[in-house]
Amino acid sequence: KFITGLLSDGSEFRQSFSGCHRRLSDYGIINSLAQVVLKFTCPGIPDVYQGCELWDLSLVDPDNRRPVDYFLRGQYLQEEPGYDASFWQQLWADRYNGRIKLRLTQRLLNLRAAAPETFTQANYLPLTVTGRYKNNILAFARQWGKTWYVVAVPLHLSALNADGADPLKFDWKDTAIILPGAAPRKWQSLLSDVKGYATGPLSIDALFKDLPLALLKLEHPANRGAGLLMH
C-alpha cells in the first residue's frame, strides 16, 4: 500500500521524482544503445536474446520469463526504415517505446549479413581520441582489406552532462578521433545519410549530431582515371 501510494498519479513523490526519472532514463537508453553497437561490432558473435529487442525492464529469473509481444515487434518492423538523419531523429524523439533499439539491432544485423567476413575476421584497432573529453569516448576500427569501419560511443555521459540538458546537445568541444595513416579518408555514416572526407581528426560533435553514437564505413575514393583507362 505504501509503494502504491508513492507511485500513484498526483502523489508528491511522483511529481518530484518524474524529472529525475526522465534524466536517468535517457542515459540508460544511451548506454543500452551503445552496448548494442558494441555487441555487433566488437570481435565475437553477437547474442540477441529473444524478447529483448525493445526495452526490457525486468529483473533476472524468474521475473524475465514472460510472453514476448511478437505482434508489437512485427508492427514496428512493418514501418519502412529510411536510415537517414530524420529517421533516427524521429526514433530518438520516440525513444521510450523501444523502437530505436529494435531498428538499431535490425540495421546492425543487416550490415553483418552483407559483409560477414568484415566482422568475423577483421582486425580490431583501438583508435586514439584527443581533446577535452578524450577519456569519455570509446573508439575503435574494424579493418578488412581496404574497407574500414569506425565505431564511437560515449562513456560516463551522465557525469559530464550533470545539469540535465538534452544529451544530444552536449558540447564535446575539441574532442576528436585520430585516424591511422593507412585508413581511408572517405567516410559515410551507417546510422544516417551523412558523408564526408576526413582531412584531419573526426569531430565527435559532428559525429554525435543526430545520435549519441557513431558507426562509419571508410573506403578509398574510386580511381576515376583508372576507370577511364579500363573503358
Side-chain angles (χ1 to χ4, degrees), residues 159-175:
L160 298 180
N161 199 29
D163 59 359
D166 184 344
L168 289 186
K169 297 180 180 179
F170 180 75
D171 184 1
W172 289 95
K173 306 295 184 183
D174 58 344
T175 310

Side-chain angles (χ1 to χ4, degrees), residues 46-126:
D47 190 3
V48 180
Y49 287 135
Q50 198 168 216
C52 294
E53 301 86 1
L54 305 177
W55 306 132
D56 183 18
L57 304 180
S58 61
L59 301 175
V60 295
D61 293 345
D63 186 48
N64 58 3
R65 299 181 184 181
R66 56 173 63 98
V68 178
D69 190 344
Y70 291 110
F71 179 76
L72 177 62
R73 287 156 176 77
Q75 281 187 314
Y76 286 162
L77 290 174
Q78 286 179 2
E79 303 166 2
E80 189 66 27
Y83 293 131
D84 55 11
S86 61
F87 175 74
W88 292 106
Q89 288 170 1
Q90 184 59 51
L91 287 178
W92 176 257
D94 298 332
R95 57 193 176 275
Y96 301 111
N97 61 19
R99 287 171 56 242
I100 189 171
K101 181 183 178 184
L102 177 67
R103 285 303 193 179
L104 181 61
T105 300
Q106 180 189 38
R107 178 61 166 158
L108 293 167
L109 278 171
N110 288 337
L111 290 173
R112 287 186 66 100
E117 290 182 338
T118 299
F119 293 99
T120 57
Q121 303 181 40
N123 295 323
Y124 173 88
L125 305 171

Side-chain angles (χ1 to χ4, degrees), residues 1-19 21:
K1 183 178 179 180
F2 174 71
I3 294 175
T4 302
L6 287 177
L7 300 180
S8 62
D9 293 337
S11 72
E12 184 178 350
F13 172 79
R14 181 75 174 264
Q15 294 175 5
S16 65
F17 182 68
S18 59
H21 173 261

